[in-house]
Amino acid sequence: MGDIDLITTIFDSDFPITGSLSIIKEWIIDYLLTDIYDISDETPQFDENYIMTKPMIYLQFMSGQVRNVGIGKVINQTQKAQFENIDVMCWIYVDNNVGGLTRCREIADILKTVIRKNGYLLNQAGLTNPRMGYFREFPKSSYSPVFGGRMLMSFRVLCSYNG
Amino acid sequence: MASGGMKLDVEGFKKQIEEKKKAILLGVKEGFKNGQDYLENIMKFYIEETVYNVYTPVMYDRTYELRDNVTAKVVGNSIYVYVDSTGMDTTADGIPYPYRVLEGHKVHPYEHTPNDGSWAGYMNERNWVEATREEFISHMNQSQQFLQIVRDSIQKRI
């Protein structure tokens, strides 16, 4: 974990899902370099012949519920807005060639630590009240040599629009 | 001498509080109903992960009855999320098939076992209930989504 970098991706109210995923990706890349880890928001496909070259982090959008700001949507004379609570499942995939569960737990530790120390960067980027849940390991399935763990990440975004 | 001060309508105030309490309770119940689909989907996700995705059977075909029968139901002032076993196929000793996995072959013998008498992985007991419940509860404790559905329903009532 090196110097603290500000998140440069700007949250776009019109694209709350893709926008937040891009911000999380940029935030993770600051601590887990992509030449050592793969970080993706595309569903990975593993079969029994899959060969892993580096641990993979997959960000899965779970669900988002919208709610009004205060008792209505109006935030000023020209704009309206709604909050959206978003859950993202953070999957960490490894196999025995890339360090196995030890590496997987290390990644989980790093993510938990940086959200504790530098979670405010996500706040500044528009992902407010970011939280990372328990790390849970999942075993190797019978059709793939890949295993790992997952953690639920949750936060809230403000989606504003003219109206 | 002129009389001053004001009269506080305590009884009227009490009545208003009682009405608000009723409205909040109605909002909570309505929120539970509105959140049923959400809860079912989250439970299905964890059943998929803790039961199905860890193992691909070769000795039998999956029915997905366990996942497909996840139900969220409002009863009184509570909401229950469970697997409804009504109508499921049962074992010889009357246990719905998905529940046999809990205690395994030793307690509820499988009809079909390997011909050579060996012990196959699927015959082991697998406590998917505890694993799923634990994950579901921790998800609910962290995520604001269900609370938000309930809050919105309360807000509409008051």
Side-chain angles (χ1 to χ4, degrees):
Chain A
M1 276 174 266
D3 295 335
I4 297 170
D5 291 321
L6 290 177
I7 296 169
T8 53
T9 308
I10 295 166
F11 178 75
D12 184 344
S13 283
D14 292 340
F15 298 95
I17 299 172
T18 48
S20 355
L21 287 175
S22 301
I23 288 171
I24 300 170
K25 264 168 80 177
E26 186 192 328
W27 176 72
I28 291 179
I29 289 167
D30 281 343
Y31 307 100
L32 300 167
L33 301 173
T34 45
D35 52 349
I36 306 173
Y37 306 92
D38 274 331
I39 299 163
S40 165
D41 50 11
E42 302 280 336
T43 315
Q45 298 290 329
F46 304 117
D47 60 23
E48 63 274 20
N49 300 316
Y50 187 84
I51 296 169
M52 198 166 242
T53 53
K54 42 189 174 179
M56 180 182 285
I57 295 165
Y58 162 52
L59 303 171
Q60 179 192 17
F61 174 79
M62 294 278 288
S63 53
Q65 303 276 346
V66 291
R67 84 171 307 204
N68 289 341
V69 177
I71 55 169
K73 294 178 191 167
V74 180
I75 52 170
N76 60 38
Q77 285 181 332
T78 56
Q79 280 195 308
K80 291 182 178 177
Q82 280 190 309
F83 285 123
E84 185 160 343
N85 281 333
I86 292 178
D87 289 339
V88 171
M89 190 60 86
C90 190
W91 296 85
I92 305 165
Y93 295 106
V94 288
D95 69 7
N96 287 326
N97 300 318
V98 297
L101 270 181
T102 307
R103 175 57 60 89
C104 181
R105 291 171 190 143
E106 273 173 21
I107 298 169
D109 280 340
I110 292 171
L111 293 178
K112 291 279 270 190
T113 303
V114 292
I115 206 160
R116 206 163 30 235
K117 286 184 177 173
N118 301 336
Y120 69 93
L121 295 173
L122 289 170
N123 244 312
Q124 287 170 356
L127 276 51
T128 59
N129 197 19
R131 284 183 290 178
M132 194 70 95
Y134 296 108
F135 170 67
R136 295 195 185 274
E137 292 170 11
F138 58 86
K140 192 189 292 189
S141 69
S142 48
Y143 52 84
S144 156
V146 175
F147 50 93
R150 60 172 176 263
M151 296 192 290
L152 180 70
M153 192 176 180
S154 50
F155 50 86
R156 187 169 80 168
V157 294
L158 181 71
C159 302
S160 56
Y161 56 98
N162 293 327
Chain B
M1 201 166 74
S3 63
M6 59 175 214
K7 190 181 170 192
L8 193 62
D9 181 9
V10 177
E11 286 312 309
F13 193 50
K14 275 185 187 168
K15 203 175 155 193
Q16 276 183 25
I17 290 174
E18 286 309 312
E19 278 168 6
K20 287 285 179 209
K21 277 163 75 175
K22 277 184 200 163
I24 289 170
L25 189 60
L26 280 173
V28 170
K29 285 185 186 177
E30 204 169 87
F32 283 177
K33 280 186 185 155
N34 295 339
Q36 279 172 321
D37 284 352
Y38 171 75
L39 292 179
E40 285 176 5
N41 285 334
I42 295 296
M43 184 60 116
K44 281 178 184 175
F45 172 84
Y46 285 112
I47 285 189
E48 192 89 40
E49 290 307 323
T50 56
V51 179
Y52 296 113
N53 286 356
V54 293
Y55 177 67
T56 305
V58 286
M59 289 285 288
Y60 62 92
D61 288 328
R62 278 190 168 139
T63 62
Y64 291 95
E65 275 193 326
L66 190 67
R67 182 197 62 194
D68 295 344
N69 285 286
V70 168
T71 308
K73 192 174 180 182
V74 183
V75 180
N77 295 339
S78 307
I79 185 160
Y80 294 87
V81 186
Y82 60 100
V83 176
D84 185 0
S85 58
T86 313
M88 283 184 182
D89 291 336
T90 54
T91 61
D93 55 350
I95 299 295
Y97 274 1
Y99 287 89
R100 173 160 57 184
V101 178
L102 260 179
E103 296 179 291
H105 178 69
K106 279 184 188 159
V107 181
H108 308 292
Y110 281 84
E111 291 79 11
H112 304 288
T113 52
N115 290 333
D116 60 2
S118 61
W119 186 273
Y122 68 87
M123 294 154 73
N124 290 328
E125 56 183 69
R126 278 193 291 147
N127 193 342
W128 56 268
V129 173
E130 271 310 309
T132 312
R133 184 164 61 188
E134 208 179 297
E135 294 233 31
F136 182 78
I137 290 173
S138 92
H139 186 118
M140 287 302 140
N141 285 340
Q142 185 188 337
S143 171
Q144 293 293 300
Q145 315 258 351
F146 181 65
L147 279 179
Q148 191 173 296
I149 295 171
V150 177
R151 278 193 210 115
D152 287 348
S153 303
I154 295 171
Q155 215 166 47
K156 281 179 195 157
R157 290 263 171 192
I158 56 176

